[in-house]
Amino acid sequence: MERISIHQLFSLMFIFEVGSTTLFAIGIGAKEGAWIAILLGVLAGILIIYIFTYLQKAYPSKNFFEIITSILGKKLGFILAFLYVWQTIWSNSRNLREFSEMILMTSLPETPLIVIVSTFMLMSIFVLIKGVEVLARVSEIILPVLIFFLVVVFVLLYLSDVTDFNNLLPILGEGLFSLFETIPTVAMFPFGELYIFATYFQLVNKKEEIRKTGIKVVVISGVLLCITVVFDIAVLGVKYASISTIPFLEAIRLIRVKEIIANLDAIATMIIFFGGFFKMTIYMYGNVLMISSIVKSISRRVLIIIYGVFLVFFSLGFEPDYAYHHWMSTFDTNFYGVYFTHVIPILIFFLFLIKRKRSEFK
Amino acid sequence: MRRGREMFVVEFFKGILNGRGVFPSFLVISSWSFTLLLLVLILYNFLLYMFRVRYRNKRFTNGLVKKNKK
């Protein structure tokens, strides 16, 4: 059976959280209070880690699908697993399409979209056929590189004299309503998306350390996202940061230290590439694990290939363009994303507690 | 009156799902329905808990780690 170490789980979760989300101005709906929205989103992330690790601790030998069916029964559990599979397919396709479009916009404007999507997918299929351990080991190598890039960007932005921290004032100038309105979006993207790791927990060798690692990831990535959004606002201002497609890239383009260090767009492209690849591949493998526990007759390798090919065509066909993609983002997170990542897990958790209490009656 | 309420629900869904596509609409309706179903299940189980009705299900207890009682 495939196994990943606790450090590898940390690397995978961290890249999944930070790799891609740093590019966007998360929580910008709360205007100058975006960083507060992220900090509150961290609490939602901790809650989701607590719930999933609690259920995994209660059923240490079972995978996510088996845990659901144990609590809800076979029929309801199967329906919910089926819904989770479709929700993940949707998120996975959006992810694949989003990063392919970004590569197209930033580096390869003349290349057909299908070529970029297929290249991404071929790499993911190759890595996953080699096994999840390979993906985990690669994440251990990439993680320090990614953090180094981010820290370098922060330092250079500060040295470039383009930051004006007065842009962050007035804090909560739009009132508390805009802050609370933004929290469900931040809770789901990026912190709620960690639900996919519920399918990975069974592969971890030290299960007792999963919760600690998960919470560590949520807190550290939350702080890093906070710093990113602070720099986005300080450099671009709230208005431009909120309408820009990739605010972090726009900020990086303004780096100019003594006319020597400039044109660092390649760093943003690398972050897009690493972040996109890992997020998409982690989603993909998590969903394949879920499908393979429902459909046991198909081998995992075959399932990876079928799923990958399906995802390429689905991601190209389900959205007409990037404007539609952008328009759907808030709808996706607020109208059903947050149900799959927070509401349903919390309800399952309560149902589990009541049922366990009832099973202890003499 | 009842028909009016039903129409309100239809109009509400038409309003929020307009132009969103089949797949997201399916996910919205299914996630909301499932949430409602879970709420009913929780309420039902809570009532049974209040009346101290024992839950017997091998699927549920199989593999379940018992709590450490101090």
Side-chain angles (χ1 to χ4, degrees), chain A residues 58-60 62 69-70 72 74 76 83 86 90 324 327-328 331 335-336 339 347 355-356 358-359 361, chain B residues 16 19-20 23-24 27-28 30-32 35 37 42 45 52-55 59-60 62-65 67:
Chain A
Y59 293 102
K62 292 187 176 183
T69 47
S70 298
L72 295 175
K74 204 174 177 181
L76 269 183
L83 291 178
W86 280 109
W90 179 257
Y324 177 85
W327 179 61
M328 286 294 285
F331 176 81
F335 281 86
Y336 62 86
Y339 283 82
L347 294 178
K355 280 190 174 180
R356 186 164 71 177
R358 282 184 55 209
S359 69
F361 286 149
Chain B
I16 61 163
R20 302 288 177 175
F23 206 102
L27 286 172
V28 169
S30 55
S31 61
W32 290 18
T35 303
L37 187 71
I42 286 175
N45 271 278
R52 300 186 69 80
V53 180
R54 192 175 176 193
Y55 182 63
R59 186 185 286 275
F60 181 78
N62 192 14
L64 176 66
V65 172
K67 277 193 293 185

Side-chain angles (χ1 to χ4, degrees), chain A residues 106-121:
Chain A
T106 54
S107 326
L108 304 167
E110 302 291 323
T111 312
L113 188 63
I114 190 166
V115 174
I116 302 171
V117 170
S118 308
T119 313
F120 254 125
M121 186 48 74

